[in-house]
Amino acid sequence: MLLRVLLLFLLLTESWSAPQRPCAPEDEVFGRCNNNVNEETPKCTEMNLGYCTDLEYSRTIFPNILGHRSRVEAESGAEYLLLSVIHGLLNGECSPEIRLVGCSVLASPCQNNRMIRPCRSSCEALRKDCAHAFEGIEMAWPYFLDCDRFFASNQEGCFDPLAGLRARQEVALSSLSPEEPSTIIQFTYTSNAQMYNLLRRTAAKCSHISHIYSIGRSTEGRDLLVIEFSNNPGRHDLLEPEVKLVGNMHGNEVLGRQLLIYLVQYLCSEYILGNQRIQTIVNTTRIHLLASMNPDGYELAASEGHLLNGWTNGRTNAQNIDLNRNFPDLTSVYYRNRRSRHYRTDHIPIPDAYWFGKVAPETYAVMKWIRSLPFVQSASLHGGELVVSYPFDFSRHPHEERMFSPTPDEQIFKQLARTYADAHATMSNNDTDRCGASFYRTGGIINGALWYSFAGGMSDFNYLHTNCYEITVELGCDKFPSEVELYPEWKRNKEALLSFMESVHRGVKGVVRDLDGNGIKGATISVRGIRKDVTTAEDGDYWRLLNPGTHILTATAKGFSKVTKRVHIPHNMNKAGRVDFVLEKVPVEPDIDDHFFPTDDTWDRFDPYNKFERVTEPGFGEEIERQEKPWWWNYFSQSGITPPNWLLRHV
């Protein structure tokens, strides 16, 4: 297809760059040619162009804007050829808008034997919305849609070629009953190029509430694109919680990827249409959607299709790394140190030894992303079962494959999982005919390690390294369902996705300040009876997910006093309660633990030897594989002990 695009581009370029030369005087004298061939009085004629029969007018005029002297000449031009195949080239994007505007150039309306040019404003709006589609197929914007050269201003008198299309769309929308959806979504599979184009187009359409950014690149150099929805996109607002949804971590588990692509379109369209629920979600929450964490794996899985794709093809990234086993194993660190009061069981640093292993660029990018924003809760969308699992995913006994291994926030996680499962159309049903496991007794939720144990998972990393609570949503038995199943799956999951995003507004939130009113970054909020603290963000704000009941909260920060408050959360409370703290500065006294338990492994140490920063750029994945490890590496790696820094410095 790309070859055909390039051929069309060359044809268009040639047709524009080689206009017909005027007749030389000596040739005209001898009758070889005639410079007055085009001096015939132009007259209106019937519209007979095959791909332009649905325009709002029936008469046109030749020569046209491009200099074509007749219908036959216009139909034989490369411009008309492009209009005939534009729908297929762009996979349906910006269709029929580009065809209608192109037809208005090839066959402009005629009144009283005078041409009326199409409006420049229509062309500029079209280019703003659709330029990305041509970029996606590596094709320049068509020359005959040059808004300055071939279009007219409103003051000059012009024709809007898209007015009729908009009118028909408005009539269609007004005819929908309240029960019918007002957002139109095409429920088909989306290639990587189409996904990138759709995200960019949505960000342009809803630029007042959305923002697109890349968190890095895959092994093969594909962008890991995130689209954000917020009433103030691009920045964190005080006390506004941040939620993320991640799809396609395993490349052959594609339903989550498609659901997030549909959710992107739904949030944008419904916000514009005035859906109060969607407007409330977007105006009070900062939402980040990473539709594909593993675009390389998806490329392999999609090349085989849903009929041929097995359970493993495309699961890993291009380095054959399972991304959900590639995160630092902080759960083992937690199990080793949980009984000692001298070690924190939250915000556990990444051991230096981790960086001497094989870290995928996708994992690296997501870790940096997780650390850079104050996420409160998250969901990772997978496939192969119909259940929601929650941490810990790694068993507290290394030799037990299936052992209940709760976090200190077991009840919070159960509530998060219950929120999604109960809102899903079938996940919590008492249906025993599932994909292979029996979750009907637990209502479609399960502790991850009780289901099956594995180390290096993303959900455990979120919980033990940051403030974020992440669940894993298994969307169904078929990892790569047929296209006809996409719309039914969207209906089953839409309410669950919305309910999950809304559920972040529970528990308590607040700001920790000093006596001068300045927010304190990195202050700790602890809850009595739950050995898991959260820390404040840049401006001193925090969020603590809690179930209804009475809780004792304590705020503290290094160099400040400690303040404790008793908080009651009613059962009928549908938003987070506000609990602020004001801390007074006090002299900093040496902590005896700093002497008896010194460590260089602090939370701020991320890729301390800059071994993987370059992995985010394409082409460096294999170089990491060839690095030789020192002779002592296997000892520390197998024992799980972090090598001392004086030894690591010699690597």
Side-chain angles (χ1 to χ4, degrees):
M1 186 188 77
L2 184 57
L3 182 61
R4 184 171 64 172
V5 172
L6 294 175
L7 178 61
L8 285 172
F9 179 72
L10 291 173
L11 286 170
L12 290 174
T13 305
E14 184 179 359
S15 67
W16 171 246
S17 60
Q20 186 177 10
R21 292 186 299 171
C23 184
E26 60 272 18
D27 291 332
E28 187 173 12
V29 169
F30 289 103
R32 298 191 186 108
C33 61
N34 183 6
N35 273 327
N36 297 323
V37 68
N38 291 329
E39 291 184 358
E40 298 178 7
T41 303
K43 294 183 180 180
C44 293
T45 183
E46 291 298 317
M47 169 78 70
N48 288 317
L49 291 177
Y51 286 103
C52 302
T53 56
D54 58 345
L55 298 178
E56 302 300 313
Y57 52 93
S58 59
R59 296 178 66 78
T60 186
I61 191 169
F62 290 100
N64 63 12
I65 296 175
L66 301 179
H68 300 139
R69 294 186 294 270
S70 66
R71 174 187 64 82
V72 174
E73 190 173 328
E75 286 185 333
S76 63
E79 301 87 357
Y80 187 76
L81 176 61
L82 176 61
L83 293 182
S84 69
V85 297
I86 196 69
H87 180 87
L89 287 176
L90 301 183
N91 294 292
E93 286 196 70
C94 298
S95 178
E97 290 88 347
I98 287 180
R99 181 179 58 80
L100 292 175
V101 174
C103 284
S104 72
V105 174
L106 285 173
S108 303
C110 178
Q111 286 185 357
N112 301 322
N113 294 326
R114 186 179 67 86
M115 177 190 296
I116 303 175
R117 292 196 176 212
C119 292
R120 184 174 297 123
S121 58
S122 300
C123 175
E124 291 171 344
L126 179 71
R127 182 162 189 170
K128 179 180 178 182
D129 289 343
C130 299
H132 70 276
F134 286 89
E135 293 171 2
I137 59 173
E138 300 178 7
M139 181 177 178
W141 183 255
Y143 88 89
F144 63 93
L145 297 183
D146 187 323
C147 303
D148 295 325
R149 190 183 299 264
F150 301 118
F151 294 77
S153 66
N154 294 333
Q155 291 77 13
E156 297 173 287
C158 63
F159 167 76
D160 182 359
L162 300 179
L165 176 65
R166 285 194 294 268
R168 290 192 296 273
Q169 290 174 339
E170 290 175 3
V171 170
L173 286 174
S174 63
S175 65
L176 292 174
S177 66
E179 292 76 22
E180 291 181 291
S182 53
T183 294
I184 310 296
I185 297 174
Q186 187 176 7
F187 291 96
T188 58
Y189 277 117
T190 311
S191 69
N192 284 322
Q194 291 170 335
M195 176 184 69
Y196 296 145
N197 291 338
L198 188 146
L199 294 178
R200 293 189 180 100
R201 186 172 65 174
T202 303
K205 178 181 178 181
C206 289
S207 58
H208 57 304
I209 58 165
S210 66
H211 166 68
I212 193 170
Y213 62 95
S214 174
I215 62 172
R217 289 182 179 271
S218 69
T219 302
E220 295 181 345
R222 295 182 175 89
D223 266 319
L224 304 178
L225 282 188
V226 176
I227 188 168
E228 164 204 339
F229 286 91
S230 167
N231 63 349
N232 191 9
R235 59 164 294 174
H236 171 73
D237 283 343
L238 193 72
L239 291 173
E240 185 173 86
E242 310 222 9
V243 178
K244 61 182 169 72
L245 298 173
V246 180
N248 206 204
M249 187 181 197
H250 293 139
N252 63 330
E253 297 172 10
V254 301
L255 180 56
R257 168 191 169 111
Q258 291 303 136
L259 291 179
L260 293 186
I261 290 172
Y262 304 150
L263 181 62
V264 167
Q265 300 170 75
Y266 184 80
L267 292 177
C268 172
S269 177
E270 290 296 304
Y271 191 98
I272 292 175
L273 292 171
N275 184 319
Q276 291 187 357
R277 183 185 185 188
I278 300 304
Q279 289 181 343
T280 299
I281 292 175
V282 172
N283 291 340
T284 60
T285 319
R286 192 179 182 199
I287 304 159
H288 304 258
L289 306 177
L290 174 59
S292 183
M293 182 179 166
N294 186 4
D296 297 349
Y298 175 82
E299 197 76 13
L300 175 60
S303 67
E304 299 184 352
H306 79 277
L307 293 177
L308 297 178
N309 184 263
W311 270 56
T312 57
N313 293 336
R315 175 183 174 89
T316 60
N317 77 340
Q319 297 171 307
N320 201 30
I321 296 175
D322 188 328
L323 300 181
N324 207 28
R325 309 292 187 273
N326 193 231
F327 285 81
D329 177 16
L330 303 184
T331 322
S332 295
V333 179
Y334 167 82
Y335 288 145
R336 285 199 304 268
N337 300 324
R338 66 185 178 197
R339 302 188 187 282
S340 172
R341 70 179 185 87
H342 299 291
Y343 289 91
R344 292 184 65 166
T345 55
D346 57 86
H347 294 81
I348 297 175
I350 299 172
D352 282 356
Y354 171 76
W355 300 109
F356 290 87
K358 192 173 182 180
V359 181
E362 297 88 349
T363 310
Y364 184 93
V366 169
M367 285 194 295
K368 287 189 70 174
W369 181 44
I370 292 171
R371 288 165 53 93
S372 67
L373 294 169
F375 291 116
V376 181
Q377 72 183 44
S378 170
S380 178
L381 307 184
H382 290 252
E385 257 296 351
L386 189 61
V387 69
V388 178
S389 70
Y390 57 87
F392 287 125
D393 284 323
F394 189 41
S395 172
R396 54 184 172 173
H397 194 294
H399 299 297
E400 290 289 342
E401 286 295 320
R402 296 183 178 182
M403 172 180 277
F404 177 59
S405 304
T407 68
D409 279 296
E410 165 71 9
Q411 297 306 314
I412 299 296
F413 272 118
K414 286 183 70 173
Q415 184 59 42
L416 279 179
R418 179 96 284 131
T419 297
Y420 196 100
D422 288 350
H424 188 278
T426 60
M427 192 174 288
S428 61
N429 288 358
N430 293 328
D431 180 10
T432 58
D433 186 17
R434 293 292 181 100
C435 316
S438 298
F439 302 112
Y440 69 95
R441 289 190 177 89
T442 58
I445 70 172
I446 193 171
N447 171 258
L450 182 59
W451 182 17
Y452 67 92
S453 174
F454 65 91
M458 185 166 67
S459 294
D460 283 10
F461 176 79
N462 271 271
Y463 180 71
L464 292 173
H465 191 64
T466 71
N467 293 336
C468 187
Y469 294 68
E470 181 174 278
I471 61 173
T472 300
V473 181
E474 300 283 345
L475 294 164
C477 311
D478 196 345
K479 293 187 176 186
F480 203 134
S482 64
E483 235 173 30
V484 296
E485 284 298 314
L486 294 179
Y487 176 56
E489 287 293 352
W490 166 249
K491 291 201 298 183
R492 294 184 191 107
N493 285 277
K494 183 183 75 171
E495 178 59 33
L497 290 167
L498 298 179
S499 296
F500 180 78
M501 291 187 292
E502 290 171 326
S503 70
V504 73
H505 298 280
R506 68 171 62 171
V508 295
K509 64 180 180 180
V511 183
V512 180
R513 294 187 172 94
D514 60 21
L515 292 177
D516 297 323
N518 302 312
I520 302 175
K521 176 186 176 182
T524 298
I525 308 296
S526 59
V527 181
R528 185 177 297 175
I530 303 178
R531 200 175 177 193
K532 158 72 176 180
D533 299 342
V534 298
T535 56
T536 55
E538 191 73 29
D539 297 320
D541 47 345
Y542 76 92
W543 304 262
R544 188 34 164 119
L545 299 179
L546 290 171
N547 287 337
T550 300
H551 305 277
I552 307 298
L553 273 62
T554 300
T556 184
K558 193 167 186 177
F560 289 88
S561 60
K562 182 184 297 185
V563 175
T564 299
K565 293 186 177 182
R566 184 186 184 92
V567 177
H568 179 71
I569 302 175
H571 283 269
N572 59 353
M573 193 168 181
N574 56 6
K575 64 179 182 179
R578 179 76 180 266
V579 182
D580 293 338
F581 293 90
V582 177
L583 307 186
E584 182 180 356
K585 284 190 175 182
V586 295
V588 179
E589 298 181 0
D591 190 338
I592 190 172
D593 291 345
D594 294 338
H595 299 283
F596 285 101
F597 301 94
T599 178
D600 288 328
D601 282 341
T602 66
W603 192 89
D604 292 326
R605 286 173 66 83
F606 184 79
D607 192 10
Y609 307 102
N610 295 319
K611 294 173 67 67
F612 293 97
E613 182 67 42
R614 64 185 183 278
V615 177
T616 59
E617 298 298 326
F620 286 100
E622 292 303 313
E623 181 180 340
I624 297 299
E625 280 190 65
R626 293 195 297 268
Q627 290 182 347
E628 294 185 4
K629 298 179 175 62
W631 61 269
W632 44 263
W633 171 251
N634 286 337
Y635 166 76
F636 286 103
S637 177
Q638 293 172 6
S639 64
I641 301 173
T642 301
N645 280 300
W646 64 265
L647 192 57
L648 290 172
R649 293 188 188 102
H650 293 285
V651 177

